[in-house]
Amino acid sequence: FQGAGVRLAGRLVLPKGDSRVPIVVLVHGSEHFSAREFYTLQRQLPTEGIGVFVYDKRGTGASGGLYSQSYLLLADDAIAAMREAKRLAGDRAGRIGYQAGSQGGWVAPLAAKIEPVDFVIVGFGLAVSPLDEDREAIALDMTRRGYGPDVMAKAMQVADATAAVMRSGFRDGYDQLAAVRKKYAGEAWFKHVHGDFSFFLLGTPTTTLREKGPALLAGVPADYDPMPVLRNLDTPQLWILGEDDTDAPSAETARRLRGLIAQGKPITLAMFPHADHGIYEYETKADGERVSTRNPDGYFAMMRDFIRNERLEKHYGSSTIVGPAGH
């Protein structure tokens, strides 16, 4: 089907029968692989009476075009996918909306604001900018390792340096990056700086960054502020976050979403304790690294019920729920 200037490959999976069913369009994160090959919800949700449209992000799988992280471009592709899902489903199409993970949390609300849908589900996404995500992740790196304010201040200098390279589109900022690397590389905390993208910039030679950086992080709007969209979006939304997310720290996003809920926006926030990115529970190895184990009880059922009814039951495993759908 036709996306925003490219041909995209998609698939509609419907439950058996001929009745009208709700349909969810799966919106990608930042991954480079084929959603049609690897996304499991395309098989799980139809067993519960929900149709699914899954498509390969541009530049991945069987879709054409170049890989991109431009949220506006990806939102246009998501809208095209939603239209195609409606066309293919015909008379069977009921409520339709998006389910988006990680980076898709920036894309799906934007798509819904451009062209209305019935619902949006965001899993482990963010209501802060990509650069803020990286800073929050670095701060969490230091906190988890037990470092205090003095080290935190140094780590924020590293975040400033990597942000400068990102803002320039990998054209400038390398002197500043080299300076903090030289200044702090010998200190014990430095090896624990990961962030969301800072680890890549810190561990990659400058010549490689200049050459490959623009393609790996193609079009990412580093300072994108999602709050204007969220403040002005009247589509019912379910946000599912992990309290212990290290890739996309959830505390500030949860605070902002609670503020929007208090203002009467149709947002429901579900928080799973002891869950990392992807809403995966985890075990911690002796060296402090985490090993993902499983999705917590209630995670799938929560999405299923919201898609079906725009309502949630009282309990979904160990989650806490705030917002209108949880009443």
Side-chain angles (χ1 to χ4, degrees):
F1 67 101
Q2 188 65 36
V6 297
R7 296 286 288 175
L8 302 175
R11 170 190 301 129
L12 177 66
V13 186
L14 290 176
K16 292 181 179 180
D18 56 7
S19 61
R20 283 169 61 88
V21 295
I23 296 174
V24 60
V25 177
L26 304 183
V27 177
H28 318 72
S30 60
E31 65 276 352
H32 288 67
F33 56 73
S34 164
R36 292 182 311 123
E37 292 185 21
F38 292 103
Y39 276 18
T40 58
L41 287 178
Q42 66 181 296
R43 299 176 180 87
Q44 290 175 278
L45 288 170
T47 68
E48 299 287 346
I50 296 168
V52 175
F53 189 80
V54 58
Y55 66 102
D56 290 342
K57 185 177 184 175
R58 59 173 55 225
T60 73
S63 286
L66 298 175
Y67 175 85
S68 176
Q69 297 193 45
S70 165
Y71 304 157
L72 183 57
L73 192 60
L74 296 175
D76 284 342
D77 286 345
I79 291 168
M82 181 268 293
R83 292 173 178 170
E84 181 68 2
K86 280 185 175 180
R87 186 189 71 81
L88 290 173
D91 292 340
R92 295 200 65 190
R95 285 162 37 82
I96 190 166
Y98 299 115
Q99 189 277 341
S102 195
Q103 185 187 83
W106 287 305
V107 176
L110 181 58
K113 183 60 184 172
I114 296 170
E115 186 164 323
V117 290
D118 296 304
F119 61 87
V120 172
I121 298 175
V122 174
F124 44 99
L126 290 164
V128 300
S129 73
L131 288 184
D132 285 338
E133 174 190 13
D134 190 66
R135 293 182 73 85
E136 290 177 17
I138 290 174
L140 189 58
D141 292 336
M142 299 300 99
T143 300
R144 288 178 58 215
R145 299 288 177 171
Y147 293 111
D150 56 333
V151 167
M152 188 70 74
K154 296 176 182 178
M156 290 302 100
Q157 293 178 34
V158 176
D160 291 340
T162 56
V165 176
M166 289 290 294
R167 283 195 175 101
S168 76
F170 290 89
R171 293 184 296 272
D172 301 307
Y174 294 105
D175 290 344
Q176 183 181 351
L177 184 63
V180 294
R181 188 189 288 116
K182 181 178 180 181
K183 186 175 182 180
Y184 297 127
E187 299 192 16
W189 58 270
F190 188 80
K191 65 178 179 289
H192 299 303
V193 173
H194 189 274
D196 184 56
F197 55 76
S198 282
F199 72 96
F200 170 68
L201 274 69
L202 290 169
T204 305
T206 298
T207 53
T208 304
L209 287 177
R210 288 184 183 275
E211 177 186 355
K212 297 185 177 180
L216 289 172
L217 295 169
V220 62
D223 285 302
Y224 175 74
D225 181 2
M227 288 302 289
V229 168
L230 297 178
R231 289 191 195 101
N232 292 282
L233 185 60
D234 294 323
T235 303
Q237 300 168 66
L238 171 62
W239 284 68
I240 308 173
L241 305 180
E243 289 186 4
D244 293 349
D245 197 323
T246 51
D247 287 339
S250 60
E252 177 60 17
T253 289
R255 187 191 70 79
R256 293 184 178 193
L257 293 175
R258 289 190 184 100
L260 293 173
I261 292 167
Q263 295 168 25
K265 303 306 293 184
I267 296 171
T268 298
L269 170 64
M271 299 288 293
F272 278 97
H274 197 70
D276 205 326
H277 203 58
I279 316 299
Y280 283 107
E281 294 178 345
Y282 60 90
E283 296 176 357
T284 305
K285 298 192 294 185
D287 62 1
E289 295 301 312
R290 293 177 177 180
V291 178
S292 296
T293 55
R294 47 164 281 170
N295 292 126
D297 289 339
Y299 174 52
F300 174 76
M302 180 183 294
M303 292 190 288
R304 176 201 65 201
D305 292 350
F306 190 80
I307 294 166
R308 281 176 172 174
N309 310 313
E310 206 177 297
R311 301 285 295 176
L312 299 180
E313 301 297 333
K314 187 174 181 180
H315 297 295
Y316 291 88
S318 58
S319 68
T320 57
I321 301 172
V322 179
H327 289 171

